[in-house]
Amino acid sequence: MHSRRREGLALLVSLVVLALALGLLTRLLTLKRHDMGSTWGHFLQEEEHSIDLLFLGSSLVYCDVVPAVIWEETGLTGYVMAGPEQTLPMTYYYLREALQTQQPQAVFVEITGVFYARYTGYTKTNIGQMPWGMNRLQATFREAEPENRAGLLFPLLFYHDRWSSLTADDFAVTFRGYEPDPLAGYTFLNTYCETDGVSDRALTRDAANEARNWDALTAIYDLCLEEDIQPVFYVAPCLHRIPEAAMEPLQARIREALPEAPLLDCNDHFAAIGADESTDFFDPLHYNAAGAEKFSRFLGGWISDNLKLSPEPGRDAALWQSRLDHFRQLASTPPTPQDAP
């Protein structure tokens, strides 16, 4: 009897050690994410309930919104929790997950995602960087391509061959964790490209998928109202735009069906933003740092003029001043053309 108990205990200990080893190995081999969206590791280092504004969506958000500049304009703290080519259903799960640790006063959602396909090829990143929990699991089974679900549930299937490419950063993050992001989710870009002015994006319309995306936008709206958060829907300013024939009916529907959410089409304020088409665009869809600063100052002014928000007491002003100083230091180097050596 005692022998069986010892054998059972030994088996249990072995299973626990194996589980811990696999967990550590998964943490080590999983790609670390510091920019270009889906920066959950950094986001979770923010002090709980310290964020006033949350910015959600795709690269049109994390390349364009500089929270430190908006803080300078408004005194409101903010964070960009977006993902590459992120669909609106995924944005809904990002919001739900973010509300586990933050209670923002307002949530800004870039609505171009209504026209994204169901699968954009980035669920491995957008879901795979999320913390483990119900939101990640639901996103995996509802929003991931079927062929990616096993790897999202067992990440070693994706990353088992990363041994030869491990860096010092992989080990640092694995054993010490992420640090707070000095750019609060913004991705710094400091090159510019030649542009050909405003043009329409080619769209392949999918009525069934757009209806599904609309349902996600409505779910985001409802969740914000339930949590006493001000939803704001906006269209990011860019040169390569969703055609008016598609965008105008969407905006009319938002105004009619989701009336508590202000709707800001930043392309209507393109001149007021003041970005230089020759030097302030990383590409026709995204600003570089110079353009992002101008846009963020415009957005900060719009927030002050249109939303009844006030900075919460007790915010860490020193942290946000350091973030602003960090951005200014990076941006002090003039942008260079993309074809420069």
Side-chain angles (χ1 to χ4, degrees), residues 3 22 109 163 186 219 280:
S3 175
L22 288 174
V109 179
W163 288 107
Y186 164 68
D280 290 350

Side-chain angles (χ1 to χ4, degrees), residues 11-302:
L11 177 61
L12 178 60
V13 170
S14 298
L15 290 175
V16 170
V17 170
L18 178 61
L20 291 174
L22 288 174
L24 181 62
L25 191 60
T26 298
R27 184 179 174 90
L28 175 63
L29 293 178
T30 298
L31 282 172
K32 310 305 181 285
R33 194 82 178 176
H34 298 289
D35 56 15
M36 295 295 176
S38 305
T39 54
W40 280 104
H42 289 293
F43 177 79
L44 294 175
Q45 303 311 309
E46 297 297 301
E47 180 183 351
E48 289 195 7
H49 308 303
S50 65
I51 298 299
D52 297 314
L53 308 172
L54 193 62
F55 300 91
L56 302 173
S58 67
S59 58
L60 293 169
V61 185
Y62 64 70
C63 290
D64 288 4
V65 176
V66 188
V69 172
I70 293 175
W71 172 79
E72 183 182 31
E73 294 291 314
T74 66
L76 297 164
T77 61
Y79 209 98
V80 176
M81 201 56 254
E85 289 192 30
Q86 185 160 280
T87 64
L88 280 171
M90 273 307 308
T91 294
Y92 170 68
Y93 286 111
Y94 267 44
L95 175 58
R96 279 181 36 174
E97 187 61 38
L99 295 184
Q100 300 295 311
T101 58
Q102 299 295 336
Q103 186 67 25
Q105 297 184 54
V107 167
F108 286 71
V109 179
E110 208 286 323
I111 63 171
T112 301
V114 167
F115 302 104
Y116 287 178
R118 180 169 185 176
Y119 303 126
T120 61
Y122 287 96
T123 52
K124 179 179 176 181
T125 295
N126 289 335
I127 298 176
Q129 295 293 329
M130 290 181 72
W132 288 99
M134 287 304 299
N135 291 318
R136 174 173 173 149
L137 289 174
Q138 289 180 4
T140 296
F141 286 106
R142 296 176 181 175
E143 303 307 326
E145 302 89 337
E147 63 271 20
N148 281 343
R149 289 172 189 161
L152 290 168
L153 294 171
F154 304 100
L156 286 179
L157 295 174
F158 282 150
Y159 300 116
H160 65 276
D161 59 352
R162 283 198 67 231
W163 288 107
S164 61
S165 60
L166 289 176
T167 65
D169 180 65
D170 286 303
F171 288 95
V173 171
T174 297
F175 294 105
R176 295 203 300 266
Y178 283 89
E179 299 288 335
D181 183 1
L183 294 174
Y186 164 68
T187 293
F188 183 82
L189 301 171
N190 207 34
T191 62
Y192 63 88
C193 72
E194 294 184 7
T195 64
D196 296 321
V198 175
S199 62
D200 283 345
R201 297 173 65 172
L203 275 187
T204 301
R205 304 294 298 275
D206 181 339
N209 188 60
E210 287 177 23
R212 185 172 176 275
N213 291 338
W214 171 263
D215 289 343
L217 191 66
T218 301
I220 292 168
Y221 175 86
D222 290 340
L223 178 57
C224 286
L225 297 186
E226 288 170 10
E227 297 292 332
D228 196 28
I229 298 169
Q230 173 64 67
V232 179
F233 297 143
Y234 78 102
V235 180
C238 62
L239 296 171
H240 201 36
R241 302 174 182 175
I242 301 295
E244 290 185 4
M247 185 58 77
E248 288 183 354
L250 171 63
Q251 294 187 14
R253 189 178 184 186
I254 289 173
R255 292 189 180 97
E256 179 180 357
L258 310 177
E260 298 299 316
L263 176 59
L264 172 64
D265 188 337
C266 297
N267 288 315
D268 292 340
H269 303 273
F270 205 71
I273 294 169
D276 187 330
E277 292 184 23
S278 63
T279 58
D280 290 350
F281 282 86
F282 175 77
D283 60 31
L285 284 175
H286 308 97
Y287 285 131
N288 60 23
E293 180 173 5
K294 292 173 183 177
F295 172 57
S296 297
R297 294 202 185 283
F298 163 82
L299 192 56
W302 184 91

